[in-house]
Amino acid sequence: MAAVTTTGQKRSIGQIIKRLLLLDLIEGLFLTFKYNVRALYEPRDGGNPNQAIYTEQYPLERPRVSERFRGAPRLNLDPENGSTLCIACDLCALACPVDCIEVGSIRREVRDGEKVNKKKVLTTFIFDTSRCMFCNLCSEACPTDCLELTQSFELAVYHRSGFRWDREMLEKGINYVRYTK
Amino acid sequence: MQEEITKPRETLLDAEEMALNMGPQHPSTHGVLRVLLKLDGETVIDLDCDIGFLHRGVEKIAEQDTYAMITPYWDRLDYVAAVSGDLCYVEGVEKLLQVEVPRRAEYLRVILTELQRIASHLLWLGTHAIDIGAVTVLLYCFREREEILKIFEDFIGARLTAHAFRIGGLWWDVYPEFETRVRDFLKIIPDRITEYETLLNTNRIWLSRTVGIGVLPAEEAINLSLTGPVLRGSGVNYDVRKAQPYSAYADFDFEVPLGENGDTYDRYLIRMEEMRQSVRIIEQALDGLPEGPVMAKVPKVIKPPVGEIYHSIEAPKGELGVYLVSDGTGKPYRMRIRPPAYINLQSLKRMAIGHLVADVVAIIGTIDIVLGEVDR
């Protein structure tokens, strides 16, 4: 155990003068003043602990979210023709520990050039974000890089039914309110 | 001393025992723990813990889920040390599957779990100190913990419920700035730990609230099957990392700090020293980080052979173990969790009797419980 030596020491003259002139107080006030001056001209840099203003001005300023962050789900579209990448294989629904994904599909004849193939085609896709625990297992199971958890993190809604994301919402994403002032 | 206070002291006035409910909404019980106290004035004569408010039945859920699905549930047991929970389960399944994990993955796992140990101890120190009345430490601890959580977010994708490891290795390899970020953090943290100690070690209020409070002799600590810093505070040298080295821990050189008196102050000193040892381990792991893949070849559908295993690791709170029984199908027949916080909580009664009500708060803090793990 460490020895306690907080009392019983004699003060030197230097310490007494320091105390009389309130040097410690002035030092503290100077530090605050320095930060105030820096806050006037320094740009804000999200996440840097040495910046003058650390508080994130949230709705105006978007926080830094990492590349690997697991947030709102999205169904990716083929960049070439805009059709969905989903092949309705149901692997994401099987991988989900909380059963929050429902994949609806029908078997349909699809014309591919001259051949006509019978293929599973995606009709509906329901993702229940109120049950999702963002573990990324669905996205890892996806064979076509279609389902992905994105960096978008604002999932709050006014009504419970808003937690059920349908296919359109998953493909387009949510329209957020952008604050400008 | 105990025999003396089992009866109310006789005074001129009527001395009556009083029952007092502490929790489940009490801020110092670290969650939804209800402690039923039997008091004589301010002295605790007897107490009883009421747990189960956070019971979710994880062990039963595991019987319906495939092996890969269970990993995220382990984040939610001890949610302040989610990475350690993942390590325990994932290594258990690998043992059952007899899969050799790549060296690089093992080293990265060690780095992440040791960072998690520091984060968990920082949260413990902050909340323990604020329970006793030192508010400043909490803010300082959260400042450093934030750095660790940012490293986690960039590496794993989540800050708290990490889902860090997959069966067979890791999903992600390191990101480009990972090593410099961790090294920067390792540079500052030893000084910061010293800073906390300057706030607490010579603080008279801290000393009078912790020294001699909740003394637990070594023999009783063993009989209560305690593990972790609570056991080592009583001077028993048992650390799973040394006793049964798992992952890559055999490669690293570190010390196991031991206490002498077995009181709250000793357990505090041990956790501070453990953070320093974690820094040493991370430094060695970063220096010797091997090249190579981070994922072993594991079949997509995991079906371990029929058998059973027990695997335990040294989580920040003590020995965290998993007992898995496989019947050859894709889902475990039984998964039993050995939560350190649940077993360590049993020592609360032994430690708190004879102390004041305010000391019960200090003793709950020193055991370092997380109710997600106690109730499972």
Side-chain angles (χ1 to χ4, degrees), chain A residues 68, chain B residues 112 151-157 170 172-175 178:
Chain A
R68 298 173 181 183
Chain B
L112 288 177
I151 292 171
F152 279 175
E153 189 189 326
D154 284 351
F155 196 145
I156 305 159
L170 283 91
W172 301 100
D173 204 337
V174 295
Y175 58 95
F178 174 72

Side-chain angles (χ1 to χ4, degrees), chain B residues 322-362:
Chain B
V322 60
Y323 176 66
L324 275 166
V325 182
S326 163
D327 55 357
T329 59
K331 296 167 184 178
Y333 178 74
R334 174 89 171 94
M335 183 181 83
R336 157 86 186 143
I337 305 159
R338 184 215 188 273
Y342 171 68
I343 293 164
N344 289 355
L345 183 61
Q346 312 308 315
S347 64
L348 175 65
K349 185 174 178 175
R350 166 63 193 80
M351 284 201 266
I353 287 178
H355 287 298
L356 303 179
V357 180
D359 294 328
V360 175
V361 170

Side-chain angles (χ1 to χ4, degrees), chain B residues 202-218:
Chain B
T202 53
N203 184 331
R204 272 168 70 178
I205 304 170
W206 178 261
L207 288 174
S208 57
R209 290 300 303 273
T210 55
V211 175
I213 302 293
V215 181
L216 202 65

Side-chain angles (χ1 to χ4, degrees), chain B residues 151-189:
Chain B
I151 292 171
F152 279 175
E153 189 189 326
D154 284 351
F155 196 145
I156 305 159
R159 290 156 56 91
L160 205 67
T161 47
H163 194 202
F165 311 129
R166 307 294 187 272
I167 295 157
L170 283 91
W171 184 253
W172 301 100
D173 204 337
V174 295
Y175 58 95
E177 311 95 67
F178 174 72
E179 197 178 324
T180 46
R181 288 270 301 277
V182 177
R183 280 196 196 280
D184 285 350
F185 174 73
L186 294 185
K187 247 178 248 164
I188 59 161
I189 188 71

Side-chain angles (χ1 to χ4, degrees), chain A residues 78-144:
Chain A
D78 195 333
E80 283 171 13
N81 52 20
S83 63
T84 184
L85 281 168
C86 181
I87 53 168
C89 63
D90 211 27
L91 280 177
C92 49
L94 287 173
C96 182
V98 288
D99 293 335
C100 69
I101 303 173
E102 264 176 58
V103 184
S105 62
I106 49 162
R107 285 200 167 272
R108 205 165 65 183
E109 284 176 1
V110 177
R111 202 173 286 275
D112 181 20
E114 284 174 13
K115 273 194 277 178
V116 177
N117 297 330
K118 255 201 156 175
K119 224 167 118 182
K120 252 185 164 179
V121 180
L122 181 74
T123 51
T124 55
F125 198 105
I126 290 170
F127 196 107
D128 191 345
T129 49
S130 69
R131 270 193 286 171
C132 180
M133 58 175 166
F134 305 100
C135 64
N136 212 29
L137 282 173
C138 53
S139 158
E140 285 164 25
C142 187
T144 58

Side-chain angles (χ1 to χ4, degrees), chain B residues 129-143:
Chain B
I130 207 171
D131 284 348
I132 296 181
V135 185
T136 319
V137 190
L138 178 87
L139 303 170
Y140 282 24
C141 289
F142 269 59
R143 181 183 63 189

Side-chain angles (χ1 to χ4, degrees), chain A residues 31-57:
Chain A
L31 192 73
T32 317
F33 181 73
K34 221 167 64 181
Y35 269 85
N36 273 330
V37 172
R38 271 175 61 199
L40 287 175
Y41 64 89
E42 257 189 17
R44 287 201 200 96
D45 170 23
N48 177 9
N50 293 319
Q51 64 188 336
I53 299 179
Y54 193 73
T55 314
E56 217 168 53
Q57 305 298 317

